[in-house]
Amino acid sequence: MAPAAYRKLAGLIAATFTPFTPQGEVNLSVIGPYIDYLSEQQGVKGIFVNGTTGESLSLTVAERKILTEEWCQKAKGRMDHVIVHVGCMSVKDSQDLARHAAQTGADGIAVIAPFFFKPRTAEALREFMKEVASAAPNLPFYYYQIPALTGVNVHVRDVIEGIEKLIPSFRGVKFSGCDLMDFGQCVSYCQADWSVLYGVDEQLLAALAMGAHGAVGSTYNYIGCHVNKLLSAFEKGDLVQARAIQFKMQELLSYAMKLGFDVGVNKQLMAELSGLCLGPPRLPLMPCPHDHAQLIVQKYHSLFSKR
C-alpha cells in the first residue's frame, strides 16, 4: 500500500468551515464533533481545511497553524485525507504554513494563486508554487484554482504543462472554475498519480463525465451523504439517478443564491443542519439573517429526505 500521504485523492472531500466563538475567536472545541459528523452522518472521509470555505485569508498565520494542528490531530484515524490550504499573498507566509503542515502530519497542501500582485503568466504562477512546494518537498502538492475570487484566469492546462519536472511533489488540481474545456484538458494531461478534483458543486456531474477523480466542496459538509449516492449512481451508469440528485443540488443552491448565498449564509446553513455551533463569519462577511437561513433549511428538507 502507498504511504497515506501519497494515496491518490478521490471521492468527496469537504471544504470545512472554521468554527468561531460568538465573539469571533477560533473555537477548537467544535472540530472533534465536526469530524465525527462528517464521518458518521455524511460518509465523507476527506477534508480540505483553511480554504475559501474556512475563511483562510481572513485568518492570521498563527490561527491557521493552530487550526491545522487541531484538524490533523482530531482527524487521525477518522479521515483518509487532510489537505491543508497554505496559500497567502506572501510566498514566505505560504512557505511557513507549508513547513508547519508537514510537521503537523497533513496529507497534502494546496495553494491558490496570489491575487493582489497577480501572476500574469503560467510561468510566474508555476514559480510561485515551486517556492511554496520546496518548503515541504515530501508532501503532495495541489494547485487550487478559483478564478472567480482570485481574478487569475491563466488556463490551468498551461499551468500544469511540465510541472512535474519543476515540482516533483505535484499531485493535482482543485479546479474551482466553470471552464469544462480547460478542465477536460487537465484530465487528459493528468499523470497516473495525480488527481483532478472539481470544485463547483452544482456542476459536479458534468465534471465526472469529463473524468474528474473526485470533488472538493462546501456543500459536501451537509449533503455529502446524498452526493455519495450521485457518485455511486454515476459509477453504475445510472445517469437518471445521478441527474436527479444533481438537479436537487442545483435547485437548492439556486434558491439560496437568490437570498444572497455566500460563505456566511453557507456557514449558518451547515450549523442549522448539523447542530454544530460554528459561530459567525469574520468581517467583512456578515452574519446570515435568521429568516434566510430558515428558508434555505426548509428548502433543503423539501428536496432531500432523511436517510
Side-chain angles (χ1 to χ4, degrees), residues 126 157-167 189 194:
R126 280 196 299 268
R157 176 62 180 80
D158 294 338
V159 174
I160 65 175
E161 177 76 37
I163 201 169
E164 65 274 15
K165 299 170 186 171
L166 196 66
I167 306 175
Y189 183 81
W194 293 6

Side-chain angles (χ1 to χ4, degrees), residues 16 19 24 35 56 124 170 176 185 236:
T16 56
I35 288 171
S56 62
F170 187 82
S176 293
Q185 290 186 307
K236 294 174 182 175

Side-chain angles (χ1 to χ4, degrees), residues 14-35:
T16 56
F17 297 93
T18 294
F20 291 131
T21 66
Q23 294 74 37
E25 300 301 321
V26 169
N27 187 0
L28 299 180
S29 67
V30 177
I31 290 175
Y34 194 149
I35 288 171

Side-chain angles (χ1 to χ4, degrees), residues 140-186:
F141 181 92
Y142 301 88
Y143 170 44
Y144 173 14
Q145 179 248 22
I146 185 163
L149 290 182
T150 64
V152 175
N153 290 297
V154 179
H155 284 144
V156 182
R157 176 62 180 80
D158 294 338
V159 174
I160 65 175
E161 177 76 37
I163 201 169
E164 65 274 15
K165 299 170 186 171
L166 196 66
I167 306 175
S169 59
F170 187 82
R171 290 296 180 274
V173 178
K174 178 186 185 289
F175 193 107
S176 293
C178 295
D179 185 345
L180 288 177
M181 180 173 175
D182 190 22
F183 179 82
Q185 290 186 307
C186 290

Side-chain angles (χ1 to χ4, degrees), residues 94-139:
S94 290
Q95 288 177 316
D96 184 20
L97 287 169
R99 278 189 292 268
H100 177 264
Q103 294 163 0
T104 305
D107 298 305
I109 53 175
V111 167
I112 58 168
F115 54 84
F116 187 80
F117 293 118
K118 296 178 177 64
R120 295 185 179 275
T121 64
E123 179 184 7
L125 181 50
R126 280 196 299 268
E127 287 296 324
F128 178 85
M129 292 195 292
K130 175 187 174 184
E131 290 301 307
V132 178
S134 70
N138 295 318
L139 269 189

